[in-house]
Amino acid sequence: MTGVSVDRDAVAETGVAVVVLDRQSRLNAIDLAAAEALTAAWRSFRHDDAVRAVVVTGAGDRAFSTGIDRAVDVPQPTSPYSIDDPLIAIGPKANDLWKPVVAAVEGMACGGAFYLLGECEFVIAARTATFFDPHTSYGMVSAYESVLLAQRMPYGEIARLALMGTAERLGAARAHEIGLVSELTEPGAARAAALRCATTMASYPTDAVQGTVRALWSAREPVRSAALSLAPHLIALGNASPAAQAARFASRGDGEPPRVR
């Protein structure tokens, strides 16, 4: 069980495949097997001409994904210049896929989920969806997540999201206002809305669509690449020790409940 399923049932008719994060008991958190499965899925789509657009979503209605599974053990090199990040290649662009990808978000999307959302063309979310980044609360640097979302949110909004940690949730309505989310739906309807958009894009000549995706990404590539090149060093320098992170995570229920804005 990889924790990721790929629905190709409608590809022949629509040209759209659906990637589903499917670990509901863990709020669709990503473990090493799921990370490898995501990488494999994106890379397989590069060679499958029948797939012309993709929807990525989470199973159930509680979460799109809560990022890296806290139970995953990822030994790190001792050098401050190196870091092993199991989520570094879970997104489509990291795997050189330029077919359009639409995210459908129900419930929570947080932390490492932004590796995926940050590499989609746009995000459709249910009105009950929420977004947050817990890194700083647990003594961790939000680097890759912040860089990716800074490309599609105003600076003050991504700064607040990253720095407020678990104390605050970004509600879907506010996410729509600031451009992180392109369309709001009723609960349970995000996947259907994403499929409608993906089906439309898949109906157009695929070379023109992929070229447009590549053009859009090239507009921000220099800034994104330069910022991401600093991420490993910032994480190595700024992260608390694993023991200190675990202690902060264990006390996560203390204090007031998070505010939704």
Side-chain angles (χ1 to χ4, degrees):
M1 179 64 176
T2 64
V4 174
S5 63
V6 179
D7 182 356
R8 299 174 182 262
D9 289 349
V11 168
E13 180 181 352
T14 67
V16 179
V18 181
V19 175
V20 183
L21 298 168
D22 194 0
R23 302 185 74 226
Q24 292 190 61
S25 64
R26 301 290 293 175
L27 295 175
N28 298 326
I30 301 167
D31 62 3
L32 298 183
E36 292 176 1
L38 284 166
T39 297
W42 302 127
R43 298 197 69 79
S44 73
F45 294 149
R46 295 167 66 238
H47 300 278
D48 188 345
D49 291 341
V51 175
R52 300 186 297 279
V54 185
V55 169
V56 60
T57 192
D61 59 5
R62 296 177 62 201
F64 171 81
S65 174
T66 53
I68 187 71
D69 191 322
R70 291 287 302 182
V72 170
D73 181 26
V74 185
Q76 294 296 325
T78 57
S79 169
Y81 302 103
S82 302
I83 187 170
D84 287 339
D85 186 340
L87 302 187
I88 194 68
I90 65 168
K93 306 306 180 293
N95 289 285
D96 196 36
L97 178 72
W98 301 101
K99 298 176 182 182
V101 181
V102 182
V105 177
E106 301 274 354
M108 293 184 290
C110 66
F114 297 155
Y115 283 71
L116 282 170
L117 298 185
E119 291 196 6
C120 293
E121 271 49 72
F122 52 90
V123 178
I124 294 175
R127 296 182 187 278
T128 49
T130 58
F131 305 82
F132 65 102
D133 189 344
H135 280 76
T136 54
S137 297
Y138 302 145
M140 303 166 68
V141 175
S142 175
Y144 290 100
E145 298 85 354
S146 292
V147 168
L148 289 169
L149 290 197
Q151 306 298 301
R152 57 180 65 204
M153 294 170 65
Y155 175 83
E157 295 291 343
I158 183 56
R160 181 164 181 161
L161 184 73
L163 295 172
M164 290 295 288
T166 58
E168 193 170 86
R169 304 284 192 269
L170 178 65
R174 180 60 181 161
H176 183 247
E177 289 175 355
I178 63 177
L180 174 60
V181 170
S182 70
E183 180 181 347
L184 294 176
T185 73
E186 294 306 311
R191 176 170 171 167
L195 282 168
R196 284 194 294 273
C197 292
T199 299
T200 296
M201 292 184 288
S203 72
Y204 300 149
T206 188
D207 287 348
V209 171
Q210 290 187 56
T212 301
V213 171
R214 194 66 187 92
L216 288 166
W217 278 81
S218 68
R220 55 188 182 179
E221 190 66 28
V223 172
R224 188 176 73 97
S225 296
L228 288 176
S229 71
L230 295 175
H233 314 303
L234 298 174
I235 293 169
L237 291 169
N239 272 15
S241 69
Q245 291 180 33
R248 296 188 70 87
F249 186 76
S251 64
R252 64 191 183 278
D254 299 343
E256 297 181 0
R259 171 180 178 265
V260 178
R261 66 180 182 96

